[in-house]
């Protein structure tokens, strides 16, 4: 079982990780780094509950090799929660009660952040299209759409075009 | 409620009835909420399960030697090692070994388990285990299982489990493990008198609950004591089953429940706890087993069903009789099948006045994965069928579907069960269905290929009424609610905090609600059957009121005042010439800067034994209206408008009531339009979320209206009764009646584009 060294920025902290070549980013985050906000569910990249951002793009960490993140920046919900912009997302989800069991919630929040940073969160249609890769089994989605509509707007200053 | 009568009036306690934020919002949005799979205990190893390759086979031999030699493997466990105790479990019927002993009865049945230092090693070790099977004939469907010459899935006598709760188990009859029968009046006579008769055969699919968090358990079996951190809805029932299985006193089994990533019934009763505990015993170390989706799909599912139903009315649409025969496929082990069967039987007549009813329901073993609870079981199976027949009778009688319901629906106080047993109706069904109809534009003109439908049903809710709670006030006035309800997304912790805050007239922020730890948390039967707000909530209300009494008694004693002179406003007790906050009263009581006060609350059957026959605790109302549009070229059904009724007596948190029903609607849409576990000869052919499709955001109905009805007619706190399941039973039924109204009556769920298109061709 070959091991590789991956130099990854995790929530802003540079990490040098020696991992098996086939190790998945989700396992690295959860088992090695104790970042359990990203969850495992479908294992086939359809549910979105393992979503993290790699260089600002949402990826399913259940099917993303840790070694492929070498030289990149990974943002998990734990890291995003430390950023000033997060308060607005938290308020929207709280106010609309846009969560129930909470298992999928970090994935939805990170996907919405990526959409907004890319300037792709401008309308209800954007919300529906942009959240197509995230499943929520509890809410019926209506509350999540309402929360997302509260977040519609321009990317935070300086972010557009960076990804 | 007695507690309400003794309550001290409180001018500002308005915590109940308000849509405050969820107590668990911040940890969940921040990804800090802990689920079972997030728990690491010292020395923990990882478990993986080897599952049967065949639906029915004799195990000739198992060779684990290569797996045991692998570096990193800590233990390998197989069924034949489970000696010296009775290795069978099952809360309804004790029919299930921890690991297969001599044969496997469904594809996916646990055959061996491996514990290793990491998951990858455990998984690799599974591939080194060699099992030799001898295949046996497969009963892949109910029809095969009830055939005269069908082999038995289980030999010998069926033994009742600890909680089958349905009286004496009936004599077994072939592969039928439970039967329900209801006879009231003479169907023969009523049918002779009836002028209009509708009859049909229907099929309901097996469905996967898909709680996004798969079944996950951490077990630590050491020194004659088992600790479990489990994704379970019913910690106290799991504790009892584990104690029974491993011959331990209840106090030597401790079940701790973190947040659950969805339940919907899939985590009711015992699931992966026995195998995880047994593997920990073998390994001598704590073990975590976390199912993959393909494993959870064969851990439990919703029952598939075949049903024949015949309904008769007179020329004016007065309902006369209904006759129902149904078979539920409970798979290789009973799980909750008997109760699902009884509940389906209970729901089969529908909420109408009949001259005669006959129901015969059978719960049947087969060589498929075990089927158990899933939100609104029984009711969801029956409601779409019964309601389609009501609409067909209305059409033949030339009256409106709303009108036939107005004429025939039960009124409050009328017996629900046609034989007069059990609890009478406790809701205004006609008022409810009129509201739902109005919300989808009932009576307005429709376009071509559009249809509107109504559905009304009742679900026996509450399970057995046993719930306890304690409410503890610390010296600083902070309050901790100890209640066994599992927070699985429904908002239980928020609602319990609101109830305690209301009773004590304090801010909700001062109240903490923890998950269950059976070592410290008072007993609660279960989290399911829409019972938490009604029963556990009532226990919390009583406990908080009891605590309030302690505070008032302290003030009365200290001030030499009479109780009627005391009043509580915003957490301050006022009396003649005195006022004091709770911390001051606690300091006064103990003459010390510490101490605490604890209130206790108990809920038990108020009359009779609380048995199923005498129940239910309340009838959950299952009412919806739908507007659908069919594309005749593709057969695709679009849900344009959905309205659901949450007839909850009193909404403790109206926003959470609405949110729960929206979720039920989407699960109902999935059940109606595309969800189906496709079995072929005992093999599940779509055991992943690529092939098994659940509703996505684009499947949301264009308009969803949740209507809350508060008539104060529930047995819970402030007149509340439960919700969350009714909308799920009502949604597929409303879609079915709407689709029939659009010209496409269907007799098989789900209504996939292909099936709908074929039906349109047939009807052309």
């Amino acid at each position: 079982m070959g091991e590789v060294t991956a130099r990854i920025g995790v929530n802003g902290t540079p990490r040098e990780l020696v991992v098996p070549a086939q190790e998945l980013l989700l396992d690295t985050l959860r088992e090695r780094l104790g970042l359990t906000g990203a969850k495992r569910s479908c294992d086939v990249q359809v549910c979105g509950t393992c979503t993290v951002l790699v260089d600002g793009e949402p990826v399913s960490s259940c099917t993303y090799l840790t070694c492929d993140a070498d030289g990149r920046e990974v943002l998990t919900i734990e890291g995003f929660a430390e950023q000033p912009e997060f308060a607005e997302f938290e308020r929207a989800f709280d106010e609309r009660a846009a969560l129930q069991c909470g298992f999928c919630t970090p994935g939805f929040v990170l996907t919405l952040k990526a959409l907004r940073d890319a300037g792709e969160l401008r309308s209800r249609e954007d919300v529906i299209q942009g959240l197509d890769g995230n499943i929520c089994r509890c809410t019926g989605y209506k509350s999540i759409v309402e929360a997302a509509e509260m977040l519609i707007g321009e990317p935070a200053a300086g972010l557009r075009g960076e990804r | 409620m007695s507690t309400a009568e003794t309550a001290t009036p409180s001018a500002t306690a308005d915590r109940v009835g308000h849509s405050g934020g969820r107590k668990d919002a911040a940890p969940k949005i921040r990804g800090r909420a802990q689920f079972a799979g997030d728990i690491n205990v010292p020395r923990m190893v990882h478990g993986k399960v080897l599952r049967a390759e065949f639906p029915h086979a004799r195990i000739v031999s198992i060779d684990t030697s290569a797996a045991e030699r692998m570096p990193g493997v800590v233990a390998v466990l197989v069924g034949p090692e489970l000696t010296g105790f009775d290795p069978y479990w099952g809360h309804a019927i004790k029919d299930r070994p921890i690991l297969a002993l001599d044969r496997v009865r469904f594809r996916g049945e646990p055959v061996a388990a491996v514990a290793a230092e990491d998951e990858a090693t455990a998984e690799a070790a599974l591939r080194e285990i060699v099992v030799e099977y001898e295949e046996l004939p497969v009963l892949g469907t109910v029809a095969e299982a009830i055939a005269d010459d069908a082999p038995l899935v289980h030999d010998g006598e069926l033994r009742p489990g600890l909680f089958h709760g349905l009286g004496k188990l009936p004599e077994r009859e072939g592969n039928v493990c439970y039967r329900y029968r209801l006879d009231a009046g003479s169907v023969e006579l009523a049918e002779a008198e009836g002028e209009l008769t509708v009859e049909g055969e229907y099929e309901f699919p097996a469905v996967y609950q898909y709680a996004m968090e798969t079944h996950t358990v951490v077990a630590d079996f050491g020194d004659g004591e088992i600790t479990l951190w489990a994704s379970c809805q019913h910690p106290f029932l799991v504790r009892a089953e584990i104690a029974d299985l491993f011959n331990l006193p209840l106090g030597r089994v401790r079940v701790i429940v973190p947040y659950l990533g969805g339940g919907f019934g899939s985590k009711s009763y015992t699931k992966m706890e026995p195998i995880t505990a047994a593997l920990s015993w073998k390994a001598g170390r704590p073990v975590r087993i976390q199912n993959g989706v393909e494993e959870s799909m064969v851990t439990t599912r919703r029952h598939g069903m075949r049903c024949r139903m015949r309904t008769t009315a007179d020329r004016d649409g007065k309902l006369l009789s209904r006759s129902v025969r149904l078979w539920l496929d409970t798979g290789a082990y009973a799980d909750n099948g008997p109760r699902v069967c009884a509940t389906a039987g209970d729901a089969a007549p529908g909420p109408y006045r009949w001259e005669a009813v006959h129901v015969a329901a059978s719960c049947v073993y087969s060589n498929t994965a075990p089927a158990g609870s899933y939100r609104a079981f029984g009711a969801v199976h029956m409601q779409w069928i019964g309601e389609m027949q009501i609409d067909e009778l209305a059409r033949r009688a030339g009256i409106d579907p709303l009108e036939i319901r107005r004429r025939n629906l039960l009124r409050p106080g009328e017996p629900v069960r046609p034989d007069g047993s059990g609890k009478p109706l406790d809701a205004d069904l006609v008022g409810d269905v009129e509201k739902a109809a109005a919300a989808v534009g009932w009576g307005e003109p429709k376009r071509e290929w559009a249809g509107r439908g109504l559905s009304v049903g009742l679900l026996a809710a509450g399970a057995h009424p046993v719930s306890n709670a304690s409410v503890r006030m610390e010296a600083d006035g902070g309050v901790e609610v100890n209640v066994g309800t599992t927070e699985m997304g429904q908002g239980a912790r928020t609602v319990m905090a609101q109830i305690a805050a209301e009773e004590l007239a304090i801010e909700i922020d001062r109240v903490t609600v923890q998950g269950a730890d059976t070592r410290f948390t008072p007993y609660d039967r279960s989290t399911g059957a829409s019972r938490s707000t009604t029963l556990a909530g009532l226990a919390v209300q009583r406990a908080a009121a009891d605590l309030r009494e302690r505070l008032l008694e302290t003030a009365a004693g200290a001030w030499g005042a009479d109780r009627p002179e005391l009043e509580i406003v915003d957490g301050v007790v006022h009396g003649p010439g005195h006022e004091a906050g709770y911390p001051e009263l606690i300091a006064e009581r103990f003459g010390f800067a510490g101490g605490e006060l604890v209130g206790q609350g108990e809920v038990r059957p108020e009359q009779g034994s609380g048995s199923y026959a005498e129940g239910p605790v309340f009838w959950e109302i299952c009412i919806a209206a739908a507007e659908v549009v069919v594309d005749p070229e593709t057969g695709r059904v679009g849900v344009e408008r959905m309205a659901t009724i949450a007839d909850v007596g009193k909404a403790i948190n109206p926003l959470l009531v609405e949110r729960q029903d929206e979720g039920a609607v989407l699960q109902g849409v999935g059940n109606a339009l595309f969800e189906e576990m496709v079995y072929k000869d005992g093999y599940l052919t779509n055991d992943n979320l690529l092939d098994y499709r659940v509703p996505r955001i684009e499947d949301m109905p264009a308009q969803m209206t949740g209507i809350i009805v508060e008539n104060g007619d529930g047995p819970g706190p402030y007149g509340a009764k439960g919700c969350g399941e009714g909308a799920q039973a009502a949604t597929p039924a409303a879609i079915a009646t709407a689709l029939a109204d659009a010209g496409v009556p269907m007799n098989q769920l789900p209504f996939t584009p292909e099936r709908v298109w074929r039906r349109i061709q047939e009807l052309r």
Side-chain angles (χ1 to χ4, degrees):
Chain A
M1 187 184 292
E3 297 213 317
V4 293
T5 302
R7 289 172 190 82
I8 305 173
V10 181
N11 297 329
T13 305
R15 302 265 189 181
E16 192 172 300
L17 298 159
V18 181
V19 298
Q22 73 276 27
E23 183 162 302
L24 298 166
L25 181 57
L26 180 62
D27 292 321
T28 304
L29 294 171
R30 290 182 55 85
E31 303 295 337
R32 284 181 201 273
L33 303 177
L35 296 168
T36 55
K39 306 295 183 193
R40 163 165 272 131
S41 185
C42 76
D43 276 325
V44 288
Q45 216 179 328
V46 300
C47 79
T49 192
C50 64
T51 300
V52 298
L53 305 188
V54 176
D55 285 348
E57 292 276 357
V59 305
S60 294
S61 61
C62 74
T63 47
Y64 192 101
L65 294 176
T66 303
C67 60
D68 286 345
D70 185 36
R72 298 176 191 272
E73 190 63 40
V74 175
L75 183 70
T76 72
I77 193 69
E78 290 89 346
F80 183 39
E82 298 299 315
Q83 297 180 5
E85 185 197 1
F86 178 78
E88 205 188 330
F89 287 73
E90 183 169 44
R91 191 165 51 246
F93 273 72
D94 187 11
E95 216 172 283
R96 301 318 308 152
L99 67 140
Q100 289 185 22
C101 80
F103 204 72
C104 70
T105 311
F108 273 93
V109 169
L110 286 170
T111 304
L112 284 168
K113 173 185 164 45
L115 286 170
R116 193 161 84 165
D117 288 350
E120 290 165 9
L121 194 64
R122 295 151 304 194
S123 62
R124 186 184 164 90
E125 289 63 45
D126 278 359
V127 169
I128 307 265
Q129 204 184 335
L131 293 178
D132 184 49
N134 293 76
I135 290 173
C136 171
R137 190 60 153 166
C138 297
T139 63
Y141 298 108
K142 189 179 168 191
S143 57
I144 295 175
V145 172
E146 288 172 14
E149 282 178 323
M150 289 173 68
L151 298 166
I152 284 174
E154 291 301 303
L159 270 169
R160 188 190 281 269
E162 267 191 17
R163 39 192 294 240
Chain B
M1 292 296 100
S2 59
T3 46
E5 285 155 21
T6 59
T8 301
S10 175
T12 55
D14 55 356
R15 325 311 180 209
V16 158
H18 282 233
S19 296
R22 295 182 64 106
K23 294 290 282 182
D24 51 1
K28 286 179 173 178
I29 301 168
R30 290 167 174 262
R32 285 203 317 252
Q34 214 173 37
F35 298 84
D38 302 332
I39 287 167
N40 260 301
V41 300
R43 301 179 63 242
M44 186 181 86
V45 289
H46 298 262
K48 282 279 170 194
V49 177
L50 183 71
R51 292 170 177 276
E53 292 164 52
F54 301 104
H56 195 195
R58 193 170 73 81
I59 298 175
V60 179
S61 64
I62 308 179
D63 182 355
T64 59
S65 52
E68 279 166 52
R69 282 195 303 269
M70 283 176 66
V73 169
V74 175
V76 182
L77 181 69
V78 296
E81 290 176 77
L82 303 169
T83 55
F85 71 109
D86 176 3
Y88 284 86
W89 59 281
H91 72 276
I93 298 173
K94 250 191 204 189
D95 56 5
R96 183 161 192 181
I98 297 173
L99 285 159
L101 297 177
D102 52 353
R103 65 167 158 154
V104 294
R105 295 180 172 88
F106 70 97
R107 185 165 191 271
E109 177 161 6
V111 171
V114 173
E117 296 292 348
D118 59 74
E119 246 180 301
T121 305
E123 214 163 290
L126 293 186
R127 291 192 288 272
E128 299 298 319
I129 299 174
V130 183
V131 185
E132 194 188 332
Y133 294 101
E134 180 187 304
E135 285 189 72
L136 296 168
V138 174
L139 303 172
T141 63
V142 160
E144 289 164 15
I146 58 173
D148 288 339
D149 57 348
L152 292 179
V153 177
H154 293 272
D155 309 314
E157 202 189 331
L158 298 179
R159 295 182 293 158
L162 289 178
F163 303 108
H164 77 90
L166 294 161
K168 193 174 167 292
L169 277 182
E171 289 280 297
R172 73 174 297 164
E173 192 179 273
N175 286 311
V176 175
C177 70
Y178 186 80
R179 286 189 308 277
Y180 172 96
R181 206 182 157 102
L182 171 73
D183 280 293
S186 164
V187 169
E188 215 168 79
L189 287 177
E191 284 181 351
E193 144 194 15
E195 288 123 327
L196 305 172
T197 296
V198 182
E199 183 164 16
E201 279 204 45
Y202 305 83
E203 266 184 74
F204 186 99
V207 174
Y208 171 40
Q209 300 92 337
Y210 188 41
M212 294 190 72
E213 176 205 30
T214 53
H215 300 91
T216 305
V217 181
V218 177
D220 184 6
F221 197 147
D223 300 332
E225 193 164 297
I226 303 175
T227 305
L228 297 160
W229 292 261
S231 62
C232 71
Q233 294 177 221
H234 307 348
F236 290 92
L237 301 191
V238 169
R239 179 183 65 162
E241 267 208 277
I242 293 293
D244 180 60
L245 189 53
F246 295 104
N247 295 314
L248 291 169
L250 288 173
R252 289 283 181 172
V253 178
R254 179 178 180 188
V255 181
I256 301 169
V257 184
Y259 282 115
L260 252 64
F264 319 120
S266 69
K267 295 165 184 168
S268 66
Y269 300 101
T270 302
K271 295 289 180 286
M272 293 298 290
E273 293 84 2
I275 191 172
T276 315
L279 187 57
S280 171
W281 164 77
K282 177 78 189 282
R285 293 180 54 183
V287 176
R288 182 207 291 164
I289 293 184
Q290 177 165 13
N291 271 350
V293 158
E294 72 287 358
E295 295 181 284
S296 274
M297 280 183 104
V298 296
T299 297
T300 185
R301 61 176 172 87
R302 198 198 278 297
H303 289 76
M305 178 188 74
R306 292 186 67 88
C307 173
R308 279 202 297 266
M309 186 183 281
R310 189 166 66 241
T311 308
T312 306
D314 73 12
R315 198 190 314 261
D316 304 322
K318 179 182 183 295
L319 299 177
L320 298 173
S321 70
R322 175 167 279 181
S323 176
V324 187
R325 182 77 181 95
L326 68 96
W327 296 267
L328 290 157
D329 177 1
T330 204
Y333 298 101
D335 194 318
N336 207 27
R339 186 170 288 270
V340 174
C341 184
T343 307
D346 239 9
Y352 300 101
R353 211 173 293 111
W354 303 103
E355 288 185 7
V357 169
H358 166 73
V359 180
S362 299
C363 189
V364 186
Y365 285 129
S366 72
N367 294 119
T368 60
S373 309
Y374 178 15
R375 204 172 189 171
F377 62 70
V380 74
H381 288 93
M382 301 314 301
Q383 192 164 332
W384 68 289
I385 300 172
E387 289 295 273
M388 282 180 68
Q389 295 208 337
I390 299 292
D391 275 13
E392 180 60 17
L393 289 170
R395 199 182 61 78
R396 292 199 201 164
I399 55 177
D400 185 79
L402 183 56
E403 183 55 29
I404 197 171
R405 287 178 174 80
R406 277 196 198 104
R407 289 185 198 174
N408 290 283
L409 279 171
L410 297 171
R411 298 298 194 272
E414 282 191 86
V416 171
R417 294 193 177 115
D419 63 1
S421 70
K423 181 160 185 159
L425 182 64
D426 45 6
D428 172 19
L429 299 178
V430 173
D432 285 349
V433 71
E434 284 176 343
K435 289 185 184 77
V440 300
W442 198 257
E444 288 169 15
K446 282 174 291 202
R447 337 178 233 147
E448 204 190 353
W449 294 104
R452 294 196 191 102
L454 303 171
S455 81
V456 188
L458 295 171
L459 171 62
H464 196 90
V466 179
S467 288
N468 297 271
S470 67
V471 175
R472 179 164 80 154
M473 183 174 279
E474 306 285 4
D476 63 359
V479 167
E480 192 181 304
V481 174
N482 293 300
V483 61
T485 296
T486 297
E487 175 59 70
M488 52 185 181
Q490 79 280 46
R493 292 193 195 179
T494 306
V495 163
M496 299 304 164
Q498 284 179 264
I499 293 169
E502 171 79 23
E503 292 298 314
L504 293 163
I506 56 175
E507 292 304 320
I508 293 164
D509 290 351
R510 301 301 320 265
V511 184
T512 307
V513 187
Q514 301 289 344
D517 176 341
T518 57
R519 177 162 289 172
F520 306 108
T521 311
Y523 188 94
D524 180 36
R525 182 198 180 273
S526 50
T527 302
S530 302
R531 70 193 294 285
S532 289
T533 298
T534 310
L535 296 171
L538 188 57
V540 168
Q541 185 192 32
R542 288 175 178 170
D546 186 36
L547 169 60
R548 189 181 59 219
E549 286 305 302
R550 300 283 85 73
L551 288 162
L552 289 170
E553 134 203 323
T554 303
W559 303 338
D562 288 332
R563 294 284 298 283
E565 299 174 300
L566 302 178
E567 191 191 8
I568 296 177
V569 179
D570 272 346
V572 176
V573 181
H574 298 262
H578 294 276
E579 62 174 59
Y582 299 151
E584 294 164 71
L585 288 172
I586 294 175
E588 171 71 37
R589 185 180 180 105
F590 297 105
F592 177 67
E596 66 178 24
L597 287 174
V598 179
Q600 307 282 347
E602 178 188 89
V603 173
R604 59 193 169 91
E606 287 187 4
Q607 52 209 336
S609 67
S611 73
Y612 193 80
E614 291 167 84
V617 175
F618 64 99
W619 291 103
E620 185 167 351
I621 309 310
C622 316
I623 294 184
E627 181 179 77
V628 304
V629 177
V630 187
D631 178 348
E633 302 305 318
T634 62
R636 192 185 168 277
V637 179
V639 181
E640 299 288 305
R641 293 201 263 191
M642 272 302 310
T644 53
I645 301 292
D647 187 335
V648 295
K650 169 75 185 173
I652 309 292
N653 187 316
L655 182 60
L656 295 194
V657 169
E658 270 180 54
R659 292 319 194 198
Q660 217 184 338
D661 270 3
E662 288 162 13
V665 165
L666 260 278
Q667 291 191 8
V669 165
N671 210 153
L673 299 183
F674 37 80
E675 290 190 45
E676 177 172 24
M677 293 172 75
V678 180
Y679 265 99
K680 193 169 180 348
D681 301 326
Y683 289 82
L684 178 61
T685 62
N686 57 342
D687 67 346
N688 61 76
L689 285 173
L690 290 167
D691 299 319
Y692 184 93
R693 172 156 144 50
V694 300
R696 313 185 70 85
I697 200 163
E698 80 251 11
D699 298 310
M700 197 175 46
Q703 182 191 309
M704 258 199 279
T705 310
I707 299 163
I708 297 177
V709 177
E710 296 180 271
N711 292 333
D713 46 9
Y718 321 105
K721 54 186 165 178
C723 66
E725 297 192 81
Q728 175 139 8
T731 295
I735 292 172
T737 54
L739 193 50
D741 183 54
V744 197
M746 299 289 295
N747 61 0
Q748 185 179 11
L749 277 167
F751 309 141
T752 59
E754 185 188 337
R755 280 188 192 136
V756 171
W757 184 85
R758 283 183 193 283
R759 184 79 175 121
I760 292 170
Q761 307 316 307
E762 267 171 39
L763 294 166
R764 265 187 174 151

